[in-house]
Amino acid sequence: MAEAEGSGGTEDRKPKSDEAHSAFAPPAGMEPEPVDEEQPTSEFAMPAGLPAPPAEPEGSAFAPPATYSAQHSPPAYTPGRGIPVSLMKESPWQDRMRTMLRMPVDVRPVPEAVHKDSETGPAVGRVLDLTLRIGELLLAGGEGAEDVEAAMFAVARSYGLDRCEPTVTFTLLSITHQPSLVDDPVSASRTVRRRGTDYTRLAAVYQLVDDISTHHEIELSLEEAYRRLAEIRRNRHPYPSWVLTAAAGLLAGAASTLVGGGVLVFFAAAIGAMLGDRLAWLCAGRGLPEFYQFVVAAMPPAAIGVALALAEIDVRASAVITGGLFALLPGRALVAAVQDGLTGFYITASARLLEVMYLFIGIIMGVLVVLYLGLQLGTSPKPEEVLQITQRPLIQIAASMVLVFTFAILLQQERSTVLIVTLNGGVAWVTFGALHYAGGIPPVPSTAIAAGLVGLFGQLFSRYRFASALPYTTAAIGPLMPGSATYYGLLLIAENRLNEGLGSLVNAAAIALAIAIGVNLGSETSRLFMRIPGAASAAKRRAAKRTRGF
């Protein structure tokens, strides 16, 4: 019994764990000091009794933030349903969707009321398929990648799929929908294999997207949206092929007049452009790539110009070739490429620029072959004649408007937009002429300023009509295209003056880029005159993660 008691006492004196001898444990027999849990102290806290330090100046690294009080501080996390953002219903759907696309997924506003075909809503697969088909028509029509993504997001969101991420590249469209953080995502993709210019179809698709995403005016079911999309795809072009061929001839004739040609030059350039257009149609029917179509289309105007030079007729033969180049230069693709690059879609922009380069090389090859043959036959070209453009303000203004009018027909625009874009192009040429010819400003900045006005007015017109900006800007840049600089460079290369010829081609490329950047800058400047969705509530989201100004 004694042993048991002794051993029990020994066990009581042993520590039960290593924590019993912690350096922070109070000694035996002393009561621990009470700790006020509501007011925890810190080694950086000011000791009691000392006066408060002077207030730090505004902006100091040691000054407490303005919302230091916990009662008035903003939430340190993003709510599960996003941060409320004021998106005005009167704003175009392009601006509203672009605003949300530029936000991270976790801070997008709460989805609005959605269309529902039944209690469970439309099938996810069918909504994604409709979204991809609409995006395909827009991308094939030459729309910028950001606007295509905005349209796809608008359609998916309108049918209840708010957690969607569309992705656009030059030939591939994809979209992913994740119902929640624990559900498996659903993805779909579509390849764009054929591209064609039809701005009437583009406007119809924009109207369809506007009807789908505008809930307070019309509610469009999924089946009705499919039916309307099928009608848009089946619609014939507004102008027959013979009208397009005649428009190509008038465009080349007007361009030759713009650079100093007379009546004979006008008809010669028109005939050459129409022959080139028909040959390009023939090559397209045989399945030849677009590169060879441009090579063939560039030959007839150059051949007629060389023939006039061989016949020693007292006309500006160079104006015939220059007019044919105006009808072929890929200004539409160049503007779209620069727009994609400036908005952050670098893969699509690189692919578009590569396409522009191939088409431009095709034009160069077609013209150079004819010029080389002409030199072998004994023609005596006059390179200095190309840049000596006679100033005829009234005739040039009329020629520029005819050029824009015919360009709009070639782009298959709606008849209601042809007059507006013609006036926009006339304003652009008047601006360029006043800056370059009257003011003596170099051609590159003059072209950029004139193209900026084209982009500004085109964007304002499109927002007024709730439509795409392409029908109001693409044709209007026609008179600004560097046809003379391109032909001058090709002529110098044909005469084996490579350094001067390459310098002229570089100048032509600089003018083309000035057009594209000017149009994009004018479009962005137009936002200064419009109310941007979410701008009023942007100041309330300073703690949220933002990208590209949002």
Side-chain angles (χ1 to χ4, degrees), residues 440-516:
I441 300 176
V444 173
S446 301
T447 302
I449 295 173
L453 290 179
V454 169
L456 173 62
F457 294 145
Q459 195 67 234
L460 293 178
F461 283 137
S462 69
R463 289 301 183 264
Y464 176 74
R465 299 285 297 271
F466 281 65
S468 171
L470 292 180
Y472 301 97
T473 58
T474 305
I477 65 174
L480 304 176
M481 296 302 295
S484 298
T486 302
Y487 173 63
Y488 182 67
L490 296 180
L491 192 57
L492 293 176
I493 291 175
E495 291 184 335
N496 203 25
R497 298 161 62 180
L498 295 180
N499 291 335
E500 299 177 37
L502 292 177
S504 181
L505 291 181
V506 169
N507 184 38
I511 294 175
L513 288 176
I515 293 173

Side-chain angles (χ1 to χ4, degrees), residues 12-13 15 19-32:
D12 290 341
R13 290 192 298 270
E19 297 178 356
H21 292 288
S22 173
F24 299 98
M30 295 186 64
E31 294 293 335

Side-chain angles (χ1 to χ4, degrees), residues 12 18 31 164 214 233 271 281 295 341 360 371 391 398 434 452 492 535:
D12 290 341
D18 293 339
E31 294 293 335
C164 279
T214 308
R233 298 180 69 95
I271 293 173
W281 277 93
V295 173
F360 193 69
L371 290 180
Q391 298 182 28
L492 293 176

Side-chain angles (χ1 to χ4, degrees), residues 427-451:
V427 171
W429 177 257
V430 170
T431 303
F432 172 79
L435 293 174
H436 180 56
Y437 295 119
I441 300 176
V444 173
S446 301
T447 302
I449 295 173

